[in-house]
Amino acid sequence: MTKGIGKEFMEKTKHKYEEDSDQEKGLPQPPLELEWDENAVLIGLPSVDKLEMKSMDLRKAIETRKSLRKYADTPLALEELSYLLWCTQGVKQVVSRPATLRTVPSAGARHAFETFLLINNVEGLKPGLYRYIAISHKLMEISTDPEMAQKVTTACHEQEFIKNSAVTFIWSAVAYRMKWRYGERGYRYIHLDAGHVCQNLYLTAGSIDSGVCAIASFDDDEINKLLGLDGEEQFVVYVATLGKRIQG
């Protein structure tokens, strides 16, 4: 392995090395979200406009935020999952550029992320792997393999609390969605954006009596393969478990 690869990355993604981006070359931008099989099972989520979640003071949410690795057996309501997805990647508007304006910031409104979900304990959903279709606010069923929770756990270096979560969020990046505008420097912005997304999950979880644990330790090749990603043009960046707090 090349020594100092991190330093090399920071050096070579400085602005002084920039070349004309594909946007500057007049090339068409990539789609705002990945396509899906027209025969896929799509599941409608409760409308965000009709969700009634209890309010929580922002300062309290920040002060009480901490990583939680032990969860109650209480299932997550589908309405709560809908709320979490909207707060982390929800599309507020599609504008004419075209671009999506979402509930989290992203460099140039590029929003490179796709959200995958390992569902373990959510009312009305079969356990398995799903993908969030953000623009239409729906879920797409990918696999209901009964071993999926163990496979994700194995890919994340046997962190057992993944299997005990109500849901585990897996955020993958579509690299060209960011690189189209920013070239190689876009890789920096992808990782910055991941922090914005996961922090929203942490803060939102507090309002539904839940806790989160962010995970950056995983076998990249294994988890990408599990999700059907090539690991180069699209790859997993961040993972986070969520479940109800144990009361008492």
Side-chain angles (χ1 to χ4, degrees), residues 106-236:
S106 176
R110 297 310 304 146
H111 293 291
F113 290 116
E114 296 286 340
T115 304
F116 291 84
L117 302 168
L118 170 66
I119 300 294
N120 290 323
N121 194 11
V122 177
E123 293 177 348
L125 292 178
K126 293 179 288 186
L129 187 65
Y130 295 76
R131 187 182 125 209
Y132 178 46
I133 311 299
I135 293 177
S136 57
H137 194 59
K138 295 181 179 180
L139 290 181
M140 182 181 75
E141 182 182 300
I142 297 176
S143 172
T144 55
D145 178 357
E147 296 300 317
M148 186 57 67
Q150 180 58 58
K151 290 177 180 178
V152 174
T153 300
T154 299
C156 293
H157 299 149
E158 303 296 346
Q159 298 184 71
E160 291 292 317
F161 57 94
I162 290 172
K163 291 189 290 186
N164 298 323
S165 68
V167 56
T168 293
F169 288 70
I170 307 172
W171 293 292
S172 71
V174 180
Y176 187 60
R177 210 179 288 167
M178 188 67 75
K179 289 175 63 182
W180 174 79
R181 174 168 291 180
Y182 296 112
E184 294 302 301
R185 191 172 177 86
Y187 284 100
R188 287 199 192 195
Y189 302 153
I190 286 171
H191 290 86
L192 291 172
D193 283 0
H196 304 320
V197 174
C198 195
Q199 180 73 340
N200 265 27
L201 184 65
Y202 266 100
L203 297 179
T204 304
S207 68
I208 59 169
D209 300 317
S210 298
V212 172
C213 184
I215 296 172
S217 177
F218 47 80
D219 184 317
D220 296 81
D221 295 333
E222 187 65 28
I223 199 165
N224 287 329
K225 181 180 178 181
L226 188 58
L227 270 58
L229 313 180
D230 65 8
E232 293 187 6
E233 298 303 320
Q234 188 179 2
F235 45 85
V236 173

Side-chain angles (χ1 to χ4, degrees), residues 63-79:
E63 288 180 341
T64 57
R65 186 224 58 79
K66 64 179 181 179
S67 292
L68 188 70
R69 295 174 176 82
K70 293 183 179 180
Y71 308 111
D73 293 333
T74 309
L76 200 68
L78 189 61
E79 290 80 6

